[in-house]
Amino acid sequence: MADPLLEIEALTKRFGGVIASDAISLCVPKGELHAIIGPNGAGKTTLIGQLAGEIAPDGGRIRFEGRDVTALSVDRRSQLGLARSFQITSLFLDFTALDNVALAVQAHAGHSFRFWRNARREVELRTPARAALARVGLAAREDVIVSNLSHGEHRQLEIAMALATTPRMLLLDEPMAGMGPDESARMVKTLRELKRGLTILLIEHDMEAVFALADRITVLVYGRIIASGPPEAIRANAEVRQAYLGEQEDRHG
Amino acid sequence: MTAALTPRNVVIAVLMLLLAAVPVYAAVTANTFLVTLFTRVIILGMAATSLNLILGYGGMVSFGHAVYLGIGGYAVGILAQEGASSGFVQWPVAILVSALFALLVGALSLRTRGVYFIMITLAFAQLVYYFGVGLDRYGADDGLTIGRRSQFAGLLNLSDRTQFYYLCLALLVVTIYLIARLVNSRFGMVIQGARSNDRRMRAIGFPTFRYRLTAFVIAGAICGLAGALLANHTGFISPATMHWTRSGDLIVMVVLGGMASSFGPLIGAVALLSLEEALPVLIRVSASPMFGDAAVRMAEYWQIVLGPLFLLVVLFARGGIDGLLAGVRRG
Ligand SMILES: Nc1ncnc2c1ncn2[C@@H]1O[C@H](COP(=O)(O)OP(=O)(O)OP(=O)(O)O)[C@@H](O)[C@H]1O
Ligand SMILES: [Mg+2]
């Protein structure tokens, strides 16, 4: 296997009686787009939360670029190059779209104990921020206050924020949640472009998108990995079909 | 900053001109009351401006900000009593001790949110309040009379009302300017981002705690200086200066004038202190034709009018008075 960028080892998390992560072990090599699928409540968001550092696991290890990051804070992990997007949009609603992304750039442009210069006039923050907006197709919307953007635009901005931190790896939690077919198609296109330069862990319910994008797929049910492999193998896996894919077809059926 | 001729900018310009003209008007009319009142307005406006940095821009609802008025005041009072009357000693001490206290309170409170944060800041302020009450050597709850104003040998004579007034006004203007710079800097973007969405700030890589703590300390230090001014103004310092109701007054000024606005807290201070002076008179005058002598007693309850007024602003003008002025342009 190529250089592992992210290594997860026996990660375990309980919420009272619920086991949200049941000894999850996973390895994501550099350059891979690894999708995680699973029914609602399977523990996908909880896994991302632990990788990002927001949720402390009860057991297990997380290694990023060979370094044990299990005990590192959220902001330290971001500085190391782990960037996440949120399933439930989490933005600066009272700022403009450009301000949102510029903050993400600023977070990775040295310390912010700078008290004098107007940050909104700093080219070294604004230019990369505009580039990140352009990558997700929001260039024309930079001056709009974020609370006035549409849901789809919020989802795009989520990605732009993560991108603006110049990450080594993206953790994307259902980037297409609540999007219409046109917006979804657009997002697939965006992700395909990002895939060229970045390692991505993608959680997504949109099976079409997942099978179109993923190099490998892991299926999570009740916090446990029931299958992991290339898309064809997952599609053919009987247990997966029964536990998850079948259910999906019924639901949409 | 662009200086377009909007209603809001005009009001602010007129306000600043009027403030600058107060001593002149007072000299012409031989009315010292106005200078005394507006020196107080300016000093408390400065305290409110410092609170706005953390409350308005940083979203930190500190319910103990008046404690720094007390610390700054006691620094002046205690040093004066112990024979150190130089302002070059007193004022830096006032600022430094306030900053250190803010560092302590901030370090212990900023990990908490919402009601917990409010209660911890309040509790620390009350702690110092009772400490002041127990300071027998320095007047305990009766307070401490400050015989001599801070000395700035040869430079300034603070016993001169006019000089003191203009010094306070200059410090206020400098404070407003510095905070306006600061909130638009990288540092300011961080504390405003943390107000808006602290979780996302950390997710994009900001260790927000240290920035919020720094803002908390800066606000405390500026308010400590305001406390030193206030003690010089009244020639007196007592624990009452840092009673929680005084902290409440500062919050009212910020919210009334306009949170996260450069001049909002000053506007709030002008509005609140003017209403404090004017409402009793208004009530007395307007009620006396109907209620006769009882009107004097009624005037004592002027706060019953002020309360609902404040409520109206909070409910219907979320940007405070400054927000209303800014809205005029659009409407
Ligand atoms: N903070 C929490 N406290 C208690 N239980 C939690 C908490 N967070 C998640 N859970 C539980 O853990 C389980 C996994 O939740 P999680 O949100 O990770 O699922 P998910 O796979 O992301 O689901 P979805 O597809 O709906 O987003 C669920 O049973 C959920 O109720
Ligand atoms: Mg989820």
Side-chain angles (χ1 to χ4, degrees), chain A residues 49-249:
Chain A
Q50 292 171 93
L51 297 178
E54 215 171 62
I55 300 172
D58 296 324
R61 304 238 138 278
I62 301 163
R63 261 185 221 90
F64 185 63
E65 293 197 299
R67 173 176 179 177
D68 190 331
V69 299
T70 319
L72 288 188
S73 65
V74 176
D75 52 276
R76 293 281 294 117
R77 290 189 211 193
S78 165
Q79 294 296 342
L80 290 179
L82 261 176
R84 80 172 289 188
S85 77
F86 290 84
Q87 177 177 3
I88 297 162
T89 308
S90 177
L91 301 163
F92 307 107
L93 292 176
D94 45 349
F95 288 42
T96 65
L98 185 58
D99 282 345
N100 270 258
V101 186
L103 258 174
V105 174
Q106 185 187 322
H108 295 257
H111 68 77
S112 286
F113 286 102
R114 299 183 196 180
F115 302 95
W116 197 252
R117 272 177 70 195
N118 189 325
R120 290 192 173 89
R121 300 216 183 110
E122 288 196 49
V123 181
E124 59 268 44
L125 300 180
R126 302 312 254 193
T127 306
R130 287 201 173 91
L133 281 179
R135 279 176 89 177
V136 300
L138 280 179
R141 306 286 278 161
E142 64 172 55
D143 286 329
V144 182
I145 301 287
V146 169
S147 57
N148 296 330
L149 292 175
S150 71
H151 174 79
E153 288 170 329
H154 280 166
R155 302 309 300 163
Q156 289 167 309
L157 188 55
E158 271 289 331
I159 308 289
M161 296 269 285
L163 280 180
T165 63
T166 55
R168 291 168 195 283
M169 179 164 189
L170 283 175
L171 309 170
L172 304 179
D173 196 351
E174 297 197 29
M176 290 164 223
M179 279 189 161
D182 290 355
E183 289 170 329
S184 286
R186 221 208 134 84
M187 184 62 81
V188 171
K189 195 167 151 267
T190 305
L191 294 180
R192 189 165 283 143
E193 280 160 25
L194 294 180
K195 192 182 152 174
R196 274 191 244 131
L198 281 165
T199 310
I200 300 176
L201 189 73
L202 172 70
I203 291 177
E204 191 45 68
H205 275 303
D206 183 332
M207 285 307 123
E208 215 175 302
V210 166
F211 281 97
L213 289 165
D215 299 311
R216 274 200 313 142
I217 299 174
T218 291
V219 187
L220 208 59
V221 177
Y222 294 122
R224 222 164 42 79
I225 293 179
I226 62 164
S228 189
E232 319 79 65
I234 295 299
R235 217 193 286 270
N237 185 309
E239 199 182 351
V240 174
R241 296 185 75 95
Q242 189 202 347
Y244 185 53
L245 292 176
E247 207 180 284
Q248 283 273 306
E249 273 153 27

Side-chain angles (χ1 to χ4, degrees), chain B residues 5-327:
Chain B
L5 211 62
T6 60
R8 173 211 215 168
N9 288 349
V10 170
V11 168
I12 288 169
V14 169
L15 175 67
M16 295 315 286
L17 284 175
L18 285 178
L19 283 178
V22 163
V24 180
Y25 176 81
V28 173
T29 58
N31 177 351
T32 57
F33 167 75
L34 273 183
V35 179
T36 307
L37 172 64
F38 277 96
T39 306
R40 186 174 174 77
V41 167
I42 288 168
I43 295 171
L44 292 180
M46 183 169 156
T49 301
S50 74
L51 175 62
N52 189 36
L53 172 63
I54 51 176
L55 174 62
Y57 293 100
M60 302 169 236
V61 187
S62 167
F63 210 135
H65 206 61
V67 79
Y68 306 105
L69 286 176
I71 292 174
Y74 271 103
V76 169
I78 291 173
L79 284 170
Q81 174 154 330
E82 301 300 340
S85 57
S86 166
F88 293 116
V89 175
Q90 290 177 347
W91 293 19
V93 169
I95 293 169
L96 203 72
V97 176
S98 296
L100 285 175
F101 188 71
L103 184 66
L104 173 75
V105 177
L108 292 171
S109 64
L110 284 170
R111 303 255 185 220
T112 65
R113 287 290 142 121
V115 177
Y116 296 102
F117 179 77
I118 296 174
M119 295 317 283
I120 293 175
T121 52
L122 174 62
F124 270 105
Q126 287 299 91
L127 203 74
V128 178
Y129 171 81
Y130 286 113
F131 183 74
V133 168
L135 271 183
D136 289 332
R137 183 176 163 81
Y138 303 108
D141 55 351
D142 290 335
L144 181 61
T145 302
I146 301 164
R148 248 178 127 195
R149 290 195 169 185
S150 302
Q151 302 296 304
F152 288 94
L155 251 164
L156 281 166
N157 175 14
L158 300 194
S159 303
D160 179 326
R161 259 177 224 288
T162 308
Q163 278 193 34
F164 184 63
Y165 182 91
Y166 282 116
L167 175 67
C168 291
L169 186 58
L171 288 173
L172 171 73
V173 170
V174 169
T175 300
I176 291 176
Y177 177 69
L178 288 182
I179 289 185
R181 290 296 308 210
L182 186 142
V183 297
N184 288 308
S185 70
R186 287 194 185 197
F187 178 83
M189 294 306 289
V190 175
I191 62 163
Q192 294 194 69
R195 172 199 65 205
S196 176
N197 188 345
D198 193 63
R199 182 183 186 206
R200 188 63 193 237
M201 283 298 278
R202 282 180 283 119
I204 59 179
F206 283 111
T208 51
F209 177 78
R210 64 185 71 158
Y211 295 104
R212 298 171 75 230
L213 181 58
T214 304
F216 199 81
V217 170
I218 292 172
I222 295 173
C223 196
L225 177 60
L229 294 175
L230 192 62
N232 270 285
H233 176 53
T234 52
F236 176 74
I237 178 73
S238 80
T241 306
M242 46 191 168
H243 193 256
W244 65 270
T245 53
R246 295 278 84 82
S247 296
D249 286 347
L250 292 178
I251 295 180
V252 169
M253 287 173 196
V254 173
V255 175
L256 189 65
M259 290 199 280
S261 128
S262 291
F263 285 89
L266 173 63
I267 294 172
V270 172
L272 183 67
L273 296 177
S274 306
L275 283 174
E276 266 182 27
E277 294 296 331
L279 275 180
V281 179
L282 274 176
I283 293 172
R284 189 154 24 106
V285 170
S286 59
S288 65
M290 223 200 283
F291 300 98
D293 287 347
V296 178
R297 302 262 324 280
M298 290 168 72
E300 286 169 24
Y301 295 97
W302 56 272
Q303 280 166 322
I304 293 179
V305 179
L306 189 62
L309 262 178
F310 179 61
L311 211 65
L312 282 177
V313 169
V314 173
L315 289 177
F316 297 109
R318 300 203 66 189
I321 297 170
D322 184 68
L324 286 177
L325 291 172

